[in-house]
Amino acid sequence: MSNLIIGLTGGVASGKSELTRRFEALGVHVADADVVAREVVEPGQPPLAAIVREFGPGVLQPDGRLDRRQLRERIFADPAARRTLEAITHPAIRAALETQCRQAPSPYAIAAIPLLAEAGGRVGYPWLDRILVVDAPEAVQHARLMRRDGVDEVLAGRMIAAQASRQERLALADDLVVNDGEPSHLDAMVAELHARYSALAGAASRDRDGDPLRP
């Protein structure tokens, strides 16, 4: 079981995936909120049943899976519907992320949560021990989005503006990676963070094992 849980977040096209791949290459377990969000609405999962109760059977495809496109159109057109959906899915996502991280075989685990600031930060995720923010200047985000997703400058700006601000994310940071260059420069940063987190996880393990009140 892991002894330390790191929350990793950052704006769109900031380089979160580049970081998580490097941590995984070092043997660190990464629980991805985007993956978990899809898993909790699979057929047979309680959140899917709750979604059908709230939005009707029309949100299902013929095979019983969630029609994400149809539901997405509904919630973007109706803020109240989006809040209803979030009230159903967010608790399940948080619980699954925490379970995966606590049961991880690595000394520490990472919860990759792109919308951590939007979802309440430390209040929404009180079980995070530290928060790592990957940051990039907005001009860099714009350029990456246009190149990566083939969108124009206007749409890239809208995608960035739809998220929490850089300042809101930076306010959460215990640790910060500025990703404004080539991906290769992240290697040394991740190695340094890995050493720091491994040491903290080791200290947490010793504290836990030495606590006479623990079973």
Side-chain angles (χ1 to χ4, degrees):
M1 295 179 65
S2 63
N3 299 304
L4 187 77
I5 301 176
I6 309 298
L8 188 154
T9 193
V12 61
S14 59
K16 297 180 296 296
S17 297
E18 292 287 348
L19 248 67
T20 56
R21 279 194 289 270
R22 284 163 171 78
F23 279 109
E24 287 176 323
L26 293 170
V28 179
H29 178 82
V30 176
D32 189 323
D34 289 339
V35 173
V36 170
R38 292 191 291 270
E39 293 174 346
V40 300
V41 293
E42 285 291 305
Q45 295 297 318
L48 181 59
I51 290 171
V52 173
R53 284 196 301 271
E54 288 289 341
F55 295 94
V59 297
L60 295 179
Q61 301 179 65
D63 63 359
R65 294 183 178 277
L66 185 65
D67 188 333
R68 295 176 178 277
R69 181 175 180 178
Q70 198 260 38
L71 183 59
R72 187 182 303 116
E73 291 174 354
R74 289 183 61 175
I75 65 172
F76 279 132
D78 183 353
R82 184 173 71 178
R83 290 192 292 271
T84 297
L85 178 65
E86 291 173 347
I88 294 170
T89 58
H90 283 192
I93 293 168
R94 289 169 177 160
L97 283 171
E98 182 179 9
T99 297
Q100 285 189 24
C101 287
R102 294 201 183 282
Q103 295 179 351
S106 50
Y108 72 91
I110 289 176
I113 311 169
L115 301 181
L116 178 58
E118 294 86 343
R122 298 178 190 277
V123 175
Y125 291 83
W127 42 268
L128 295 175
D129 295 302
R130 294 182 73 84
I131 294 176
L132 168 61
V133 173
V134 55
D135 180 56
E138 286 193 10
V140 174
Q141 290 178 276
H142 270 95
R144 287 175 179 164
L145 277 172
M146 293 170 66
R147 181 174 61 251
R148 186 191 73 185
D149 295 355
V151 300
D152 61 24
E153 187 173 357
V154 173
L155 181 54
R158 289 176 180 168
M159 293 170 70
I160 294 169
Q163 296 189 326
S165 68
R166 287 182 72 196
Q167 291 71 25
E168 289 172 315
R169 284 190 297 271
L170 292 173
L172 297 174
D174 295 300
D175 304 295
L176 177 66
V177 167
V178 178
N179 181 26
D180 57 0
E182 292 298 319
S184 58
H185 87 290
L186 297 174
D187 294 338
M189 297 183 191
V190 170
E192 180 181 344
L193 288 167
H194 180 61
R196 182 186 308 168
Y197 295 155
S198 296
L200 289 171
S205 177
R206 291 191 294 273
D207 290 344
R208 183 195 63 191
D209 293 342
D211 187 345
L213 298 181
R214 286 185 176 270

